[in-house]
Amino acid sequence: MSEKVRADKHVKLFIPGPTEVRPEVLDAQADWMIGHRMPECTALIGRIRPKLAKVFLTEKRVLLNAATGTGFMEAAIRNVANGKVLNCVNGAFSDRWREITAACGRENEVLEAEWGQPILPEAVAERLAQGGFDAITVAHNETSTGVTNPIEAIAQVVRQAPNGENIMILVDAVSSMAGVAIPFDDWDLDVLLTSSQKAFALPAGLTFAAVSDRAMEKAKTVPARGWYFDFLVLEKYLLKNQTPATTAVSLLYALDKQLDDMMAEGMENRWARHLAMRDRTIEWAESRGLTLFAPEGYRSPTVTCISNDKNYDISALNAFLRERGMIISNGYGALKGKNFRIAHMGDLQMEDMEALFAAIDEFLAQ
Ligand SMILES: *Cc1c(COP(=O)(O)O)cnc(C)c1O
């Protein structure tokens, strides 16, 4: 792709996925094709694995596959949820867990919190107290509302619940992994999954999931796990630095490059940068007399959902921003027009945020 074409089309993405991908990372994809059983490919996956483990803060396996995050959501249910599942729903993406659970024919119960509110550990504890649960699903970062759920505290109450040691904790971290620390091992989670096109700041098409030993053992007892997403098959190949089917080689080139850059930045610095951009976004919104959709203490480090208290025309705002090479997100689904979302995720920097706020201010001054 010529620089010319690339420049003409460029609209910087302040939407909560897909996110902006740097030109160097786009270019990394344009290397020669290799076969997925060739030593060049096993070397590539061999380089990627230890770096991915550092992002997931785990010494366990991080499975990868060519798909988006929804693929591993479905895989999590099919591999380790054999009995009743508790779906914690407080937005559109956690509701997708509920749909997948039902579509896979699993029995389920739903624990709901109002959109914009977090799932509270006390509510989880109360529901699990009745016993009989096999797995629990929860979104770490509800992209539709800008709420981060307290996963560490939720995981603690799960382990204390009846049969808690055997309840599988399945966490969707699609829009937060690589933007915030989620210590998979320390929090004792079972499946923690993400996609390449959000805070990893890569093109879409890869999905990653840390999987506990407990979950791998459980999978052995679950029939009809399928094949493309069978955790046991995936691990068998991963141990040889391979994937069961043809892998998305170009995306792995980009991933390898991006992980090198993340390691060079330092994960602590990357997480701190996300928090600083979040805090600046909140400060900007409040200084304009706007309120936040998520309550304090649960505000996402990667996407801020701002209540449209002043009834701005969000579509007109976005048309204005587009002319200046930027775009933000309207509210999700029923929240369209009621709020709007600004993502500060991936490789965006503070100066990008400042340029965005200046452009929005220019629109508001008209
Ligand atoms: C984007 C998103 C998804 C869907 O991910 P895909 O990669 O499109 O499958 C799921 N959960 C959350 C929280 C998301 O933000």
Side-chain angles (χ1 to χ4, degrees):
M1 183 170 28
S2 75
E3 284 300 323
K4 172 95 180 36
V5 171
R6 193 179 273 172
D8 284 351
K9 287 189 170 172
H10 190 205
V11 177
K12 196 170 272 186
L13 304 176
F14 294 89
I15 61 176
T19 57
E20 190 67 12
V21 181
R22 291 175 296 126
E24 308 89 280
V25 175
L26 290 174
D27 286 344
Q29 296 178 94
D31 207 340
W32 296 109
M33 279 302 104
I34 50 177
H36 57 293
R37 303 286 178 243
M38 279 166 61
E40 290 84 347
C41 195
T42 53
L44 176 62
I45 294 178
R47 285 197 301 277
I48 286 169
R49 284 173 60 198
K51 291 180 282 193
L52 262 187
K54 284 185 185 150
V55 179
F56 278 78
L57 297 169
T58 186
E59 290 178 1
K60 305 298 176 194
R61 63 206 61 67
V62 182
L63 303 178
L64 59 94
N65 217 352
T68 68
T70 305
F72 264 142
M73 289 172 80
E74 185 157 325
I77 296 295
R78 292 195 67 176
N79 277 270
V80 307
N82 209 15
K84 191 164 60 170
V85 180
L86 182 65
N87 298 130
C88 301
V89 176
N90 62 334
F93 291 101
S94 43
D95 193 52
R96 183 173 293 183
W97 272 124
R98 181 192 59 72
E99 284 186 68
I100 290 172
T101 304
C104 292
R106 273 28 174 208
E107 191 191 339
N108 72 320
E109 271 189 33
V110 180
L111 170 65
E112 262 183 295
E114 206 182 313
W115 281 40
Q117 295 302 312
I119 298 290
L120 293 176
E122 303 82 68
V124 174
E126 196 183 304
R127 195 61 83 87
L128 291 179
Q130 60 185 262
F133 288 97
D134 199 50
I136 172 174
T137 67
V138 62
H140 173 243
N141 192 64
E142 237 317 336
T143 320
S144 58
T145 63
V147 168
T148 296
N149 285 312
I151 298 298
E152 182 180 16
I154 290 172
Q156 282 168 1
V157 303
V158 172
R159 295 295 172 232
Q160 287 155 11
N163 192 38
E165 270 309 305
N166 297 315
I167 296 178
M168 297 290 139
I169 305 177
L170 313 181
V171 181
D172 164 357
V174 170
S175 62
S176 47
M177 180 57 67
V180 54
I182 312 171
F184 179 76
D185 292 352
D186 287 354
W187 290 1
D188 197 17
L189 309 177
D190 291 300
V191 179
L192 178 63
L193 63 97
T194 196
S195 311
S196 52
Q197 80 281 11
K198 305 246 171 135
F200 266 85
L202 287 165
L206 290 174
T207 178
F208 319 116
V211 180
S212 70
D213 293 338
R214 188 197 287 112
M216 294 304 291
E217 284 308 309
K218 178 70 184 291
K220 290 179 188 163
T221 71
V222 178
R225 298 182 302 275
W227 194 84
Y228 188 68
F229 276 113
D230 182 349
F231 285 172
L232 302 179
V233 174
L234 283 164
E235 175 163 65
K236 184 178 136 204
Y237 280 88
L238 187 72
L239 292 173
K240 297 187 285 186
N241 291 329
Q242 292 188 10
T243 51
T246 313
T247 193
V249 169
S250 313
L251 293 172
L252 291 184
Y253 287 142
L255 171 64
D256 189 34
K257 157 80 178 148
Q258 177 65 334
L259 286 168
D260 281 342
D261 291 354
M262 282 189 199
M263 298 298 122
E265 179 182 18
M267 291 312 294
E268 298 283 342
N269 294 332
R270 190 175 178 86
W271 297 323
R273 174 167 57 77
H274 279 81
L275 286 179
M277 292 192 297
R278 187 265 315 261
D279 291 348
R280 175 69 186 108
T281 304
I282 292 173
E283 180 191 83
W284 171 84
E286 288 181 338
S287 72
R288 299 298 175 271
L290 301 167
T291 56
L292 284 304
F293 194 57
E296 198 163 354
Y298 301 96
R299 291 174 184 161
S300 165
T302 57
V303 55
T304 295
C305 192
I306 300 169
S307 297
N308 190 14
D309 306 308
K310 311 216 161 177
N311 277 320
Y312 300 145
D313 181 341
I314 306 301
S315 302
L317 167 60
N318 247 341
F320 181 91
L321 291 174
R322 257 180 172 283
E323 281 172 25
R324 286 150 186 80
M326 305 174 211
I327 189 168
I328 63 168
S329 269
N330 210 321
Y332 193 100
L335 297 174
K336 190 172 175 192
K338 297 202 174 94
N339 56 44
F340 59 100
R341 293 169 301 155
I342 296 178
H344 27 79
M345 168 182 320
D347 288 344
L348 291 173
Q349 304 293 325
M350 194 63 93
E351 54 264 33
D352 298 311
M353 304 314 300
E354 296 300 351
L356 175 71
F357 300 141
I360 300 178
D361 284 341
E362 201 187 318
F363 172 82
L364 298 181
Q366 287 181 114

